[in-house]
Amino acid sequence: MGRYIDTVRLRGATGGEGYYYRLPAVKALGERPLKFSRDVTFLVGENGSGKSTLLEAIAVASGFNPEGGSRNFRFSTRDTHAGLWEHVVLSRRAYPRDGFFLRAESFYNVASNIDEMDEAPSFSPQVIESYGGVSLHERSHGESFLALVQNRFGGQGLYLLDEPEAALSPTGLMALMAEMDRLVKRDSQLVIATHSPILMAFPEAEVLLLGEEGIRAVDYRETSHYQITRRFLEEPERMFRYLLGE
């Protein structure tokens, strides 16, 4: 039972004025609902394909704070999230007991909000105890990401992660995948927007490629992320000659 969201579809017309209507992922979603068939789904594609916008819409439609956090977070530093979530309809199999929306670009604000909540006398025990007991600002970016996943993500949850690789070394990515396996075994669903070919190799995951042709399932080895990374690592000198026009 790991999946809490089965399908995502758009309500109404897809020709609105918002910039997101021009994104390939949104156009594709307007033509055909998106179905999640695995407990771990990766949304991949080039910059501007709409994967982060789509993930944000799913998160907000699921009740999460647009800037990240659990459903209990209600802080806002700047109202910049897209209005796409208002047109998204989620078909659910069940409701998760836990959940979190992690977005790399605003994780600093999440960490700050946790510290602010713990400064209020009404919070007991302190919120930070659920995140490892040490302020996330007192850890490196990568350490705070892993502390969040290891301590706060308990299972039976819906976890939406936007480019978690931004803060993690290759070793950190492998540690994240071990935690992902733990969560899947505890009846969780993860939807992750990523550029990382390491993450995409997670066993039994579905990789959904967002592009001009729509949204389609692929083997991670078919992605440009994997192919270009592999070519570069195998022949960096040749790639540099090509890039620098030598």
Side-chain angles (χ1 to χ4, degrees):
M1 189 221 35
R3 293 194 302 279
Y4 298 98
I5 298 177
D6 271 339
T7 60
V8 181
R9 64 180 178 86
L10 286 186
R11 179 194 300 113
T14 59
E17 297 181 356
Y19 76 91
Y20 42 83
Y21 284 115
R22 298 190 296 272
L23 297 173
V26 178
K27 291 180 180 178
L29 193 61
E31 297 172 358
R32 179 184 302 176
L34 176 61
K35 183 174 179 59
F36 294 126
S37 62
R38 304 286 179 88
D39 294 333
V40 177
T41 303
F42 293 110
L43 305 178
V44 306
E46 291 299 323
N47 295 328
S49 62
K51 56 189 181 299
S52 292
T53 300
L54 177 57
L55 187 68
E56 176 193 88
I58 294 172
V60 179
S62 298
F64 293 105
N65 186 47
E67 291 190 40
S70 71
R71 291 184 178 87
N72 296 324
F73 282 68
R74 286 294 176 263
F75 72 93
S76 177
T77 56
R78 188 178 180 186
D79 188 8
T80 59
H81 61 285
L84 179 62
W85 71 273
E86 297 178 301
H87 308 283
V88 164
V89 178
L90 306 178
S91 296
R92 306 175 186 274
R93 176 177 301 187
Y95 283 87
R97 295 181 60 183
D98 189 29
F100 205 93
F101 176 34
L102 171 65
R103 55 190 313 170
E105 66 185 39
S106 58
F107 186 64
Y108 179 93
N109 300 333
V110 171
S112 297
N113 188 242
I114 292 171
D115 287 349
E116 291 169 2
M117 287 190 289
D118 281 340
E119 291 173 358
S122 59
F123 282 92
S124 181
Q126 290 196 314
V127 179
I128 197 60
E129 294 303 319
S130 297
Y131 295 79
V134 178
S135 172
L136 298 178
H137 283 311
E138 296 182 16
R139 304 174 186 263
S140 73
H141 200 184
E143 288 173 333
S144 63
F145 265 43
L146 288 177
L148 167 69
V149 177
Q150 292 166 343
N151 296 284
R152 172 59 183 77
F153 293 13
Q156 293 184 297
L158 173 64
Y159 304 103
L160 308 174
L161 314 182
D162 187 17
E163 300 185 6
E165 72 273 11
L168 298 175
S169 68
T171 301
L173 286 173
M174 294 177 189
L176 173 60
M177 287 193 286
E179 294 300 321
M180 290 166 57
D181 180 65
R182 171 182 65 86
L183 292 168
V184 168
K185 290 175 179 175
R186 295 184 180 179
D187 293 329
S188 298
Q189 179 180 11
L190 296 96
V191 182
I192 303 172
T194 186
H195 291 289
S196 171
I198 294 178
L199 277 183
M200 292 177 208
F202 187 81
E204 304 299 323
E206 181 170 45
V207 178
L208 297 178
L209 179 62
L210 284 58
E212 292 297 334
E213 69 282 2
I215 303 175
R216 61 187 179 94
V218 298
D219 185 279
Y220 79 96
R221 296 175 184 85
E222 296 179 43
T223 65
S224 61
H225 309 71
Y226 172 83
Q227 294 174 0
I228 292 174
T229 300
R230 179 177 178 179
R231 290 172 189 166
F232 183 87
L233 293 176
E234 289 178 344
E235 298 183 286
E237 296 82 5
R238 181 179 178 182
M239 291 293 288
F240 274 122
R241 286 197 298 270
Y242 173 77
L243 291 170
L244 303 180
E246 297 179 355

